Amino acid sequence: MGGAIILFYPLLKGNRIHADFENQNFSNKELFKKYKSYVWVNTPHALIDTLEVSGILLLMNKHYSKEEVGSYFFAYRLLKLPVSLIGAAVFQVFYQRIAYIKNSGGLIAPMVRKVYTQMALLGLPVFTLIMLLSERLFPFIFGDKWMLAGILSSIMTPWLFFNFLASSVSSVTFVLNKQKPAFYIAITDLTLRLGVLYFFGNNTEFKQMIYYLTIISSLVMLFNCWWYHLISSKYDERSVTA
C-alpha cells in the first residue's frame, strides 16, 4: 500500500509520465483512465487467494476432522509450490513476449497455442506420475500419517494440471486489459467451491468432497484456458481487419 501511495503521488501532482507508447502523448489523466483496472481490479483480485485459504479452512474445519483438513492443505501446498514457481516464470516471459507482439502489430493467439502445447508436453508426464504414485510416495517419504495426503494429491492432480496450463498464459488479461472479467471468473470459482463445502459438507465424505472441488476447479481452469485463447483470437481478428 505504501508503494502504491508513493507511485500515485506524482500522478496527483500532475507530473507527466514519460514512457514510449509509440511516440503517443498521453496525459496522466488519460493514462489513469486507461489503466485504472490495475488499481481497482487487480488489488481485490490479489485478495482472492487470502479469501480462498481462510474460507476453505473455515468451512473444512466446520465439517471435517483436523487430520483430514491438515492432509488437504499439506498436499495442496506441496503440489501448488512447483506449479506456482514454474507458472510465475512462464508468466513473466510470456507477458514480455505478447506485449512486444501487440506493440509490433503481430498476432497473439498463435503464441497462446504454442505455450499451451509446450506446457502440456512438460506437465502431462509429471502430473501423470503424481496421480499414479503419490498415494505410495507420500507415506514413504513423509511417513504413514500422511497417506491421506497422498490420496488427496492423486485426486487433485487434474485440477493442478489445468491450473498449470492456465496460469502460464494468464498475463494475456493484462496485455489486453481484461482484468475485470478475469476477476469475475476468480470470484465465481471461489464462490462455487465455498458453496459446495457449505451446502454438502455435512453429509459428504471428505475424499468425495475433494473430488467435487477438483471437478469444479478443473472446469473453471479449462474455461480460463478457452477464454484466454478466445480474447487473443478476437484481438487478432480486430488487428487484421483494422
Side-chain angles (χ1 to χ4, degrees):
M1 181 63 73
I5 294 173
I6 292 172
L7 292 173
F8 192 64
Y9 180 73
L11 193 62
L12 294 177
K13 295 291 290 183
N15 296 334
R16 307 289 281 186
I17 298 176
H18 301 286
D20 181 15
F21 287 96
E22 297 186 0
N23 298 322
Q24 298 183 43
N25 292 320
F26 291 96
S27 69
N28 291 330
K29 184 176 180 180
E30 290 170 337
L31 281 171
F32 182 77
K33 183 178 180 181
K34 184 174 182 180
Y35 297 106
K36 63 182 179 180
S37 58
Y38 283 83
V39 178
W40 305 122
V41 177
N42 291 351
T43 300
H45 197 166
L47 297 176
I48 290 294
D49 289 338
T50 302
L51 292 174
E52 175 188 1
V53 173
S54 59
I56 290 178
L57 178 61
L58 177 65
L59 291 175
M60 280 189 173
N61 279 328
K62 180 180 178 181
H63 299 299
Y64 301 105
S65 69
K66 293 181 179 179
E67 289 74 17
E68 290 171 322
V69 176
S71 294
Y72 167 80
F73 277 99
F74 180 74
Y76 178 78
R77 291 187 179 278
L78 194 64
L79 294 180
K80 185 72 173 178
L81 180 60
V83 171
S84 299
L85 290 176
I86 297 174
V90 176
F91 178 100
Q92 294 294 334
V93 174
F94 181 75
Y95 179 83
Q96 295 172 5
R97 288 183 179 177
I98 61 173
Y100 175 79
I101 291 172
K102 180 187 177 185
N103 293 332
S104 302
L107 301 179
I108 295 177
M111 177 61 69
V112 172
R113 292 193 294 270
K114 180 180 179 180
V115 173
Y116 279 152
T117 301
Q118 292 175 339
M119 298 300 283
L121 292 175
L122 172 65
L124 191 59
V126 176
F127 283 97
T128 300
L129 287 175
I130 293 173
M131 180 183 291
L132 296 176
L133 301 178
S134 60
E135 185 174 348
R136 283 172 284 181
L137 285 177
F138 269 66
F140 176 76
I141 297 174
F142 304 109
D144 291 339
K145 70 175 183 177
W146 296 111
M147 180 177 292
L148 178 59
I151 296 172
L152 300 180
S153 297
S154 179
I155 296 172
M156 292 188 291
T157 299
W159 164 20
L160 293 171
F161 172 68
F162 294 130
N163 182 278
F164 181 67
L165 295 181
S167 63
S168 63
V169 302
S170 59
S171 56
V172 72
T173 61
F174 294 91
V175 175
L176 301 182
N177 199 25
K178 296 291 184 180
Q179 298 98 311
K180 185 177 290 186
F183 177 51
Y184 294 152
I185 293 171
I187 291 177
T188 300
D189 180 28
L190 179 60
T191 302
L192 288 172
R193 282 190 282 160
L194 293 179
V196 168
L197 276 169
Y198 180 81
F199 289 108
F200 300 102
N202 277 328
N203 53 9
T204 303
E205 191 262 340
F206 188 69
K207 285 191 292 185
Q208 189 65 36
M209 178 60 68
I210 302 304
Y211 274 114
Y212 292 159
L213 294 178
T214 296
I215 291 171
I216 290 171
S217 296
S218 295
L219 290 175
V220 173
M221 290 300 107
L222 282 172
F223 177 83
N224 275 334
C225 290
W226 169 81
W227 181 62
Y228 295 151
H229 185 263
L230 177 67
I231 61 177
S232 301
S233 299
K234 287 186 174 181
Y235 172 81
D236 290 349
E237 291 173 3
R238 290 195 299 269
S239 298
V240 171
T241 56

